[in-house]
Structure formats: C-alpha cells, structure tokens
Amino acid sequence: SPYAKPQVKTDPTQDAVTQNKRVYVGNLSWSVAWRDLKEHMASAGEVLRADVLTGYDGRSKGCGIVEYATVEEATGAVETLNNTDLMGRQIFVREDREVSRSAPKGGGG
C-alpha cells in the first residue's frame, strides 16, 4: 500500500521535512471533530491530514495536529489562523514540535 509508512525512521532529514509541514492547534472546543478542524485549516492550504487528539476514554484533549502539503502552507497557517475563532473558541496555531522528540506513546503515572 502506498500509504503504509515504515515504523523505523532511518532518514533524519525526512523527519524534519514532515515536521515543518505540521502545525499544532490548541484550545479546541471538545465538540470539534477532525472534519471541522480540516475545513477550518484548509483556508491556509491543502490539508493532507487533520487529527483531533483524544484521551484513552475517546474524549477530545482540546488540541490537534494538522499536516499540510507544503512547508509554506504550514507556515502560512501559523501566521493567518493563530487566534482565529473555531466553533466559538479562539484557537492557537503553532509549529508542531512534538514529532522530533519521538516520545513513547502510552500512559504513565
């Protein structure tokens, strides 16, 4: 499948490119679904993927990750969509920095 991504990351430059195409969106209303997020963020460019992060119970954590087709679009999203209104909440948009950390997934504490 062309969509399958290998779990092992061998090329660090590839990570950096992917990372710069992603933005972190915070202060989302709990009622925002990925479709709402994608629709809102599409004004800045072609959205390849929009994810609303959820906890183990399936409820929204109030934040999400949006991946754009190009680095320029992601940068534009930070500049134009930060502090905009989405479903009654003022959201903030910044460059996603989580990817490079490769933090282990799962709960703790």
mmCIF file of all heavy atoms in Angstrom, residues 41-76:
data_model
loop_
_atom_site.group_PDB
_atom_site.id
_atom_site.type_symbol
_atom_site.label_atom_id
_atom_site.label_comp_id
_atom_site.label_asym_id
_atom_site.label_seq_id
_atom_site.Cartn_x
_atom_site.Cartn_y
_atom_site.Cartn_z
ATOM 1 N N MET A 41 -8.832 24.760 8.756
ATOM 2 C CA MET A 41 -7.420 24.948 8.445
ATOM 3 C C MET A 41 -7.151 24.983 6.941
ATOM 4 O O MET A 41 -6.087 25.413 6.512
ATOM 5 C CB MET A 41 -6.589 23.826 9.083
ATOM 6 C CG MET A 41 -6.740 23.720 10.596
ATOM 7 S SD MET A 41 -6.318 25.225 11.483
ATOM 8 C CE MET A 41 -4.526 25.182 11.367
ATOM 9 N N ALA A 42 -8.113 24.539 6.134
ATOM 10 C CA ALA A 42 -7.923 24.479 4.684
ATOM 11 C C ALA A 42 -7.804 25.857 4.042
ATOM 12 O O ALA A 42 -7.327 25.970 2.920
ATOM 13 C CB ALA A 42 -9.069 23.703 4.035
ATOM 14 N N SER A 43 -8.198 26.909 4.761
ATOM 15 C CA SER A 43 -8.063 28.250 4.181
ATOM 16 C C SER A 43 -6.597 28.639 3.991
ATOM 17 O O SER A 43 -6.286 29.536 3.224
ATOM 18 C CB SER A 43 -8.775 29.278 5.057
ATOM 19 O OG SER A 43 -8.154 29.364 6.316
ATOM 20 N N ALA A 44 -5.689 27.926 4.667
ATOM 21 C CA ALA A 44 -4.260 28.239 4.541
ATOM 22 C C ALA A 44 -3.564 27.378 3.492
ATOM 23 O O ALA A 44 -2.426 27.645 3.133
ATOM 24 C CB ALA A 44 -3.563 28.073 5.886
ATOM 25 N N GLY A 45 -4.241 26.336 3.011
ATOM 26 C CA GLY A 45 -3.607 25.483 2.015
ATOM 27 C C GLY A 45 -4.204 24.085 2.009
ATOM 28 O O GLY A 45 -5.230 23.826 2.640
ATOM 29 N N GLU A 46 -3.538 23.190 1.280
ATOM 30 C CA GLU A 46 -4.026 21.816 1.148
ATOM 31 C C GLU A 46 -3.714 21.008 2.398
ATOM 32 O O GLU A 46 -2.554 20.771 2.722
ATOM 33 C CB GLU A 46 -3.379 21.156 -0.074
ATOM 34 C CG GLU A 46 -3.916 19.760 -0.332
ATOM 35 C CD GLU A 46 -3.135 18.993 -1.391
ATOM 36 O OE1 GLU A 46 -2.273 19.602 -2.061
ATOM 37 O OE2 GLU A 46 -3.377 17.795 -1.524
ATOM 38 N N VAL A 47 -4.753 20.604 3.098
ATOM 39 C CA VAL A 47 -4.583 19.812 4.324
ATOM 40 C C VAL A 47 -4.539 18.339 3.952
ATOM 41 O O VAL A 47 -5.485 17.797 3.379
ATOM 42 C CB VAL A 47 -5.749 20.070 5.309
ATOM 43 C CG1 VAL A 47 -5.640 19.154 6.523
ATOM 44 C CG2 VAL A 47 -5.758 21.531 5.749
ATOM 45 N N LEU A 48 -3.409 17.688 4.238
ATOM 46 C CA LEU A 48 -3.280 16.260 3.968
ATOM 47 C C LEU A 48 -3.929 15.439 5.067
ATOM 48 O O LEU A 48 -4.471 14.372 4.830
ATOM 49 C CB LEU A 48 -1.796 15.867 3.861
ATOM 50 C CG LEU A 48 -0.994 16.543 2.762
ATOM 51 C CD1 LEU A 48 0.437 16.011 2.770
ATOM 52 C CD2 LEU A 48 -1.633 16.324 1.404
ATOM 53 N N ARG A 49 -3.841 15.942 6.300
ATOM 54 C CA ARG A 49 -4.358 15.190 7.434
ATOM 55 C C ARG A 49 -4.683 16.137 8.572
ATOM 56 O O ARG A 49 -3.944 17.080 8.832
ATOM 57 C CB ARG A 49 -3.284 14.185 7.883
ATOM 58 C CG ARG A 49 -3.742 13.254 8.973
ATOM 59 C CD ARG A 49 -2.628 12.281 9.359
ATOM 60 N NE ARG A 49 -3.096 11.443 10.433
ATOM 61 C CZ ARG A 49 -3.573 10.219 10.273
ATOM 62 N NH1 ARG A 49 -3.632 9.695 9.085
ATOM 63 N NH2 ARG A 49 -3.985 9.521 11.314
ATOM 64 N N ALA A 50 -5.780 15.878 9.233
ATOM 65 C CA ALA A 50 -6.146 16.651 10.421
ATOM 66 C C ALA A 50 -6.582 15.668 11.495
ATOM 67 O O ALA A 50 -7.445 14.828 11.260
ATOM 68 C CB ALA A 50 -7.284 17.622 10.093
ATOM 69 N N ASP A 51 -5.957 15.737 12.640
ATOM 70 C CA ASP A 51 -6.269 14.833 13.745
ATOM 71 C C ASP A 51 -6.599 15.625 14.988
ATOM 72 O O ASP A 51 -5.841 16.518 15.378
ATOM 73 C CB ASP A 51 -5.068 13.931 14.074
ATOM 74 C CG ASP A 51 -4.835 12.873 13.016
ATOM 75 O OD1 ASP A 51 -5.803 12.202 12.631
ATOM 76 O OD2 ASP A 51 -3.684 12.728 12.579
ATOM 77 N N VAL A 52 -7.713 15.292 15.616
ATOM 78 C CA VAL A 52 -8.020 15.829 16.936
ATOM 79 C C VAL A 52 -7.532 14.796 17.933
ATOM 80 O O VAL A 52 -7.901 13.616 17.850
ATOM 81 C CB VAL A 52 -9.539 16.081 17.092
ATOM 82 C CG1 VAL A 52 -9.858 16.497 18.521
ATOM 83 C CG2 VAL A 52 -10.004 17.160 16.125
ATOM 84 N N LEU A 53 -6.659 15.204 18.843
ATOM 85 C CA LEU A 53 -6.092 14.257 19.798
ATOM 86 C C LEU A 53 -7.121 13.894 20.858
ATOM 87 O O LEU A 53 -7.811 14.763 21.386
ATOM 88 C CB LEU A 53 -4.841 14.859 20.447
ATOM 89 C CG LEU A 53 -3.748 15.300 19.459
ATOM 90 C CD1 LEU A 53 -2.538 15.842 20.207
ATOM 91 C CD2 LEU A 53 -3.323 14.169 18.553
ATOM 92 N N THR A 54 -7.186 12.606 21.166
ATOM 93 C CA THR A 54 -8.151 12.139 22.151
ATOM 94 C C THR A 54 -7.446 11.359 23.251
ATOM 95 O O THR A 54 -6.382 10.779 23.038
ATOM 96 C CB THR A 54 -9.216 11.237 21.502
ATOM 97 O OG1 THR A 54 -8.560 10.174 20.810
ATOM 98 C CG2 THR A 54 -10.089 12.004 20.533
ATOM 99 N N GLY A 55 -8.068 11.347 24.407
ATOM 100 C CA GLY A 55 -7.552 10.575 25.526
ATOM 101 C C GLY A 55 -7.966 9.123 25.415
ATOM 102 O O GLY A 55 -8.658 8.729 24.478
ATOM 103 N N TYR A 56 -7.559 8.319 26.381
ATOM 104 C CA TYR A 56 -7.885 6.889 26.353
ATOM 105 C C TYR A 56 -9.388 6.639 26.400
ATOM 106 O O TYR A 56 -9.872 5.599 25.974
ATOM 107 C CB TYR A 56 -7.180 6.153 27.489
ATOM 108 C CG TYR A 56 -7.627 6.605 28.859
ATOM 109 C CD1 TYR A 56 -8.685 5.970 29.505
ATOM 110 C CD2 TYR A 56 -6.997 7.665 29.505
ATOM 111 C CE1 TYR A 56 -9.108 6.402 30.754
ATOM 112 C CE2 TYR A 56 -7.417 8.091 30.753
ATOM 113 C CZ TYR A 56 -8.471 7.456 31.370
ATOM 114 O OH TYR A 56 -8.891 7.870 32.604
ATOM 115 N N ASP A 57 -10.138 7.618 26.914
ATOM 116 C CA ASP A 57 -11.589 7.461 27.004
ATOM 117 C C ASP A 57 -12.301 7.925 25.727
ATOM 118 O O ASP A 57 -13.525 7.899 25.651
ATOM 119 C CB ASP A 57 -12.136 8.237 28.214
ATOM 120 C CG ASP A 57 -11.784 9.720 28.159
ATOM 121 O OD1 ASP A 57 -11.063 10.143 27.224
ATOM 122 O OD2 ASP A 57 -12.232 10.456 29.053
ATOM 123 N N GLY A 58 -11.526 8.352 24.735
ATOM 124 C CA GLY A 58 -12.117 8.762 23.469
ATOM 125 C C GLY A 58 -12.538 10.221 23.408
ATOM 126 O O GLY A 58 -12.959 10.701 22.364
ATOM 127 N N ARG A 59 -12.422 10.933 24.532
ATOM 128 C CA ARG A 59 -12.789 12.356 24.530
ATOM 129 C C ARG A 59 -11.646 13.205 23.993
ATOM 130 O O ARG A 59 -10.479 12.894 24.184
ATOM 131 C CB ARG A 59 -13.118 12.819 25.954
ATOM 132 C CG ARG A 59 -14.528 12.436 26.355
ATOM 133 C CD ARG A 59 -14.913 12.923 27.731
ATOM 134 N NE ARG A 59 -14.192 14.096 28.178
ATOM 135 C CZ ARG A 59 -14.674 14.976 29.040
ATOM 136 N NH1 ARG A 59 -15.874 14.816 29.543
ATOM 137 N NH2 ARG A 59 -13.963 16.006 29.423
ATOM 138 N N SER A 60 -12.035 14.300 23.367
ATOM 139 C CA SER A 60 -11.045 15.212 22.812
ATOM 140 C C SER A 60 -10.173 15.800 23.918
ATOM 141 O O SER A 60 -10.649 16.103 25.007
ATOM 142 C CB SER A 60 -11.751 16.352 22.070
ATOM 143 O OG SER A 60 -10.844 17.374 21.753
ATOM 144 N N LYS A 61 -8.875 15.962 23.610
ATOM 145 C CA LYS A 61 -7.964 16.635 24.550
ATOM 146 C C LYS A 61 -7.968 18.143 24.314
ATOM 147 O O LYS A 61 -7.253 18.877 24.977
ATOM 148 C CB LYS A 61 -6.540 16.103 24.371
ATOM 149 C CG LYS A 61 -6.353 14.683 24.875
ATOM 150 C CD LYS A 61 -4.885 14.288 24.733
ATOM 151 C CE LYS A 61 -4.610 12.958 25.397
ATOM 152 N NZ LYS A 61 -3.184 12.594 25.285
ATOM 153 N N GLY A 62 -8.738 18.583 23.316
ATOM 154 C CA GLY A 62 -8.823 20.012 23.040
ATOM 155 C C GLY A 62 -7.671 20.538 22.200
ATOM 156 O O GLY A 62 -7.387 21.733 22.179
ATOM 157 N N CYS A 63 -6.997 19.612 21.490
ATOM 158 C CA CYS A 63 -5.909 20.045 20.614
ATOM 159 C C CYS A 63 -5.816 19.083 19.444
ATOM 160 O O CYS A 63 -6.409 18.002 19.464
ATOM 161 C CB CYS A 63 -4.586 20.121 21.369
ATOM 162 S SG CYS A 63 -4.106 18.579 22.152
ATOM 163 N N GLY A 64 -5.084 19.493 18.435
ATOM 164 C CA GLY A 64 -4.968 18.645 17.261
ATOM 165 C C GLY A 64 -3.711 18.929 16.471
ATOM 166 O O GLY A 64 -2.979 19.877 16.751
ATOM 167 N N ILE A 65 -3.450 18.074 15.489
ATOM 168 C CA ILE A 65 -2.305 18.205 14.605
ATOM 169 C C ILE A 65 -2.838 18.257 13.176
ATOM 170 O O ILE A 65 -3.685 17.448 12.797
ATOM 171 C CB ILE A 65 -1.354 16.981 14.724
ATOM 172 C CG1 ILE A 65 -0.874 16.798 16.168
ATOM 173 C CG2 ILE A 65 -0.176 17.117 13.752
ATOM 174 C CD1 ILE A 65 0.073 17.852 16.670
ATOM 175 N N VAL A 66 -2.338 19.219 12.406
ATOM 176 C CA VAL A 66 -2.747 19.340 11.006
ATOM 177 C C VAL A 66 -1.496 19.283 10.139
ATOM 178 O O VAL A 66 -0.513 19.965 10.416
ATOM 179 C CB VAL A 66 -3.502 20.666 10.765
ATOM 180 C CG1 VAL A 66 -3.853 20.828 9.286
ATOM 181 C CG2 VAL A 66 -4.762 20.723 11.622
ATOM 182 N N GLU A 67 -1.538 18.430 9.117
ATOM 183 C CA GLU A 67 -0.397 18.325 8.205
ATOM 184 C C GLU A 67 -0.775 18.891 6.857
ATOM 185 O O GLU A 67 -1.796 18.523 6.269
ATOM 186 C CB GLU A 67 0.038 16.861 8.053
ATOM 187 C CG GLU A 67 1.285 16.714 7.200
ATOM 188 C CD GLU A 67 1.812 15.281 7.138
ATOM 189 O OE1 GLU A 67 1.436 14.468 7.997
ATOM 190 O OE2 GLU A 67 2.599 14.998 6.226
ATOM 191 N N TYR A 68 0.065 19.802 6.354
ATOM 192 C CA TYR A 68 -0.159 20.449 5.063
ATOM 193 C C TYR A 68 0.699 19.807 3.984
ATOM 194 O O TYR A 68 1.654 19.092 4.278
ATOM 195 C CB TYR A 68 0.178 21.945 5.157
ATOM 196 C CG TYR A 68 -0.894 22.736 5.867
ATOM 197 C CD1 TYR A 68 -0.806 23.003 7.229
ATOM 198 C CD2 TYR A 68 -2.010 23.199 5.178
ATOM 199 C CE1 TYR A 68 -1.800 23.713 7.888
ATOM 200 C CE2 TYR A 68 -3.008 23.914 5.820
ATOM 201 C CZ TYR A 68 -2.895 24.167 7.174
ATOM 202 O OH TYR A 68 -3.884 24.871 7.812
ATOM 203 N N ALA A 69 0.372 20.117 2.736
ATOM 204 C CA ALA A 69 1.118 19.584 1.605
ATOM 205 C C ALA A 69 2.517 20.197 1.515
ATOM 206 O O ALA A 69 3.456 19.536 1.082
ATOM 207 C CB ALA A 69 0.351 19.826 0.307
ATOM 208 N N THR A 70 2.657 21.453 1.937
ATOM 209 C CA THR A 70 3.966 22.115 1.842
ATOM 210 C C THR A 70 4.318 22.834 3.146
ATOM 211 O O THR A 70 3.441 23.146 3.956
ATOM 212 C CB THR A 70 3.986 23.172 0.711
ATOM 213 O OG1 THR A 70 3.135 24.250 1.083
ATOM 214 C CG2 THR A 70 3.544 22.590 -0.621
ATOM 215 N N VAL A 71 5.597 23.083 3.300
ATOM 216 C CA VAL A 71 6.090 23.829 4.455
ATOM 217 C C VAL A 71 5.514 25.247 4.445
ATOM 218 O O VAL A 71 5.136 25.791 5.485
ATOM 219 C CB VAL A 71 7.638 23.879 4.443
ATOM 220 C CG1 VAL A 71 8.166 24.780 5.536
ATOM 221 C CG2 VAL A 71 8.211 22.479 4.574
ATOM 222 N N GLU A 72 5.410 25.838 3.241
ATOM 223 C CA GLU A 72 4.908 27.210 3.112
ATOM 224 C C GLU A 72 3.471 27.324 3.623
ATOM 225 O O GLU A 72 3.111 28.293 4.281
ATOM 226 C CB GLU A 72 4.980 27.675 1.648
ATOM 227 C CG GLU A 72 6.393 27.881 1.122
ATOM 228 C CD GLU A 72 7.145 26.591 0.824
ATOM 229 O OE1 GLU A 72 6.501 25.551 0.608
ATOM 230 O OE2 GLU A 72 8.390 26.617 0.845
ATOM 231 N N GLU A 73 2.657 26.321 3.300
ATOM 232 C CA GLU A 73 1.266 26.342 3.750
ATOM 233 C C GLU A 73 1.186 26.235 5.271
ATOM 234 O O GLU A 73 0.389 26.917 5.910
ATOM 235 C CB GLU A 73 0.476 25.200 3.098
ATOM 236 C CG GLU A 73 0.230 25.434 1.620
ATOM 237 C CD GLU A 73 -0.297 24.205 0.898
ATOM 238 O OE1 GLU A 73 -0.176 23.076 1.424
ATOM 239 O OE2 GLU A 73 -0.838 24.378 -0.199
ATOM 240 N N ALA A 74 2.028 25.383 5.835
ATOM 241 C CA ALA A 74 2.034 25.233 7.293
ATOM 242 C C ALA A 74 2.448 26.541 7.965
ATOM 243 O O ALA A 74 1.836 26.975 8.944
ATOM 244 C CB ALA A 74 2.979 24.105 7.701
ATOM 245 N N THR A 75 3.474 27.186 7.418
ATOM 246 C CA THR A 75 3.926 28.470 7.951
ATOM 247 C C THR A 75 2.823 29.511 7.823
ATOM 248 O O THR A 75 2.564 30.288 8.741
ATOM 249 C CB THR A 75 5.187 28.947 7.194
ATOM 250 O OG1 THR A 75 6.178 27.933 7.284
ATOM 251 C CG2 THR A 75 5.739 30.230 7.797
ATOM 252 N N GLY A 76 2.144 29.496 6.673
ATOM 253 C CA GLY A 76 1.047 30.422 6.447
ATOM 254 C C GLY A 76 -0.093 30.205 7.427
ATOM 255 O O GLY A 76 -0.732 31.155 7.882
#
